[in-house]
Amino acid sequence: MVPATATPVSIQYSSYMKGLKFPNNVPTLDKENPPQGVAVPFSATLTNPDGSKINTFLYLGLDDDGKITGLITEDEAIAKSGQPIPYAYYHYEIVNGKINPYVYHGAEIPTTYKYETPSGVTVADDGVISATTPGKYVITAKADGGPIYEEDKLYIEVNDSKGIVQTNTNWKPYGKIESAALSLSNGKLVVSTKPDDIAPLYTEIGTVSNEKPATSILNVLHDGTLVAHEPALVTIRAIVHSIGDGSALGSDTMPTLNVIIDKELNVTVDVKPTDANTIEEIQTWLTAHSIDFTGKSAKADLLALVPKD
């Protein structure tokens, strides 16, 4: 029998940590500026054989001589360093034609911002944008935060009066979001907002569990893909931020979605079962809600255990 071979997952390093270089997308230590510490994190995009992509952080372990020992887990990185690994996610809010950069998640560290602009567009040292001709433009923002470096694309539209509107990748203008909702589609979390012709500045996604740290049960990746680790009942929540003042929706309108992870680690919306469900689906729901069905096997008996209210 010929042993099966696994199709490799390709890696595209989307940004780097200082002390690393990426010739031909292979991380190597920078001899002139070696990393400090025993674990070096960097962000990467993993491409599966089916073409799907996952954005994540990877960690390189270093020995006492500063040589790379290989990829390690985040827990190993924290254990090696004795403290959480610094990281940051940067965002840029354009208000009255001026770029206001900030760290919206992660380490609050001194950061230098630089911008690459297309022809006809300039960004002054104070972040003020100028454009000579109306149109749609993309600005590359580079945030250098000491150990952390990241690039982002800023999409803007300049109108006839040279007013500048910040948009998303579909050129929807950012603005005030009145309401938001969460749903599942093909294994991915979908955030819908109203008005639907306005884009939120950004959305923070988290998970909640009463039993243990929720991230050890269910992770939500950057593209909305759900990665489950064990059967459970989990609440997914979102904080949708609008442009202008960066404030979030009130807690009473913050969208949430209860989901159930079954024993095969499939994730479905938590909806009370009915006679249309299978016995196994009803049992999964009862288990997730800690309802004992010992001695019950008939569908009618199982459904009788589902609370009516």
Side-chain angles (χ1 to χ4, degrees):
M1 178 181 291
V2 178
T5 57
T7 303
V9 174
S10 63
I11 302 176
Q12 173 72 39
Y13 306 103
S14 52
S15 63
Y16 64 86
M17 309 297 290
K18 279 192 172 179
L20 288 180
K21 290 183 175 180
F22 294 88
N24 298 320
N25 276 330
V26 177
T28 62
L29 297 185
D30 185 346
K31 293 182 179 179
E32 297 179 357
N33 182 27
Q36 304 297 314
V38 291
V40 185
F42 59 93
S43 63
T45 299
L46 308 181
T47 303
N48 290 309
D50 62 2
S52 61
K53 296 181 182 297
I54 297 174
N55 296 316
T56 187
F57 271 94
L58 302 178
Y59 300 86
L60 290 178
L62 306 180
D63 63 17
D64 293 338
D65 297 324
K67 294 182 180 179
I68 296 175
T69 60
L71 289 175
I72 59 177
T73 66
E74 182 176 9
D75 290 341
E76 290 171 330
I78 293 174
K80 274 178 166 288
S81 64
Q83 59 185 355
I85 304 299
Y87 68 96
Y89 294 104
Y90 300 91
H91 209 92
Y92 306 83
E93 186 179 39
I94 300 175
V95 180
N96 297 324
K98 180 179 180 180
I99 301 175
N100 296 325
Y102 55 92
V103 175
Y104 76 89
H105 187 58
E108 293 289 345
I109 53 181
T111 304
T112 300
Y113 300 95
K114 297 180 179 180
Y115 305 99
E116 292 182 355
T117 58
S119 176
V121 177
T122 59
V123 178
D125 291 339
D126 62 356
V128 174
I129 305 172
S130 299
T132 57
T133 307
K136 297 175 180 178
Y137 301 97
V138 181
I139 299 172
T140 299
K142 299 183 177 183
D144 191 344
I148 298 170
Y149 178 91
E150 188 172 271
E151 290 188 9
D152 281 293
K153 302 293 185 182
L154 309 183
Y155 296 79
I156 64 170
E157 185 166 4
V158 182
N159 60 31
D160 292 339
S161 59
K162 303 297 176 59
I164 295 172
V165 176
Q166 184 178 5
T167 68
N168 68 357
T169 55
N170 296 321
W171 303 104
K172 279 187 178 182
Y174 292 123
K176 182 63 178 177
I177 299 301
E178 297 175 0
S179 63
L182 302 180
S183 60
L184 290 185
S185 177
N186 298 321
K188 290 187 176 184
L189 183 69
V190 177
V191 183
S192 57
T193 57
K194 290 184 178 180
D196 57 11
D197 59 342
I198 297 294
L201 182 60
Y202 65 88
T203 302
E204 294 181 68
I205 302 294
T207 52
V208 183
S209 171
N210 293 326
E211 298 179 2
K212 58 176 63 176
T215 52
S216 67
I217 300 174
L218 179 68
N219 294 111
V220 184
L221 304 183
H222 296 295
D223 64 353
T225 299
L226 302 179
V227 181
H229 306 289
E230 62 179 81
L233 174 64
V234 179
T235 298
I236 302 174
R237 63 182 177 186
I239 305 176
V240 181
H241 294 260
S242 296
I243 198 167
D245 57 6
S247 62
L249 290 171
S251 58
D252 57 334
T253 55
M254 207 178 305
T256 61
L257 183 69
N258 292 328
V259 297
I260 292 177
I261 307 171
D262 65 22
K263 60 184 179 181
E264 280 80 32
L265 303 185
N266 299 311
V267 184
T268 57
V269 177
D270 178 18
V271 179
K272 285 184 179 182
T274 66
D275 192 61
N277 291 97
T278 66
I279 289 178
E280 185 176 7
E281 288 171 341
I282 300 171
Q283 291 173 334
T284 296
W285 190 93
L286 293 172
T287 299
H289 287 266
S290 301
I291 298 176
D292 182 23
F293 55 87
T294 303
K296 309 286 186 182
S297 58
K299 180 182 289 190
D301 293 335
L302 294 172
L303 287 173
L305 299 175
V306 177
K308 302 301 182 184
D309 52 338

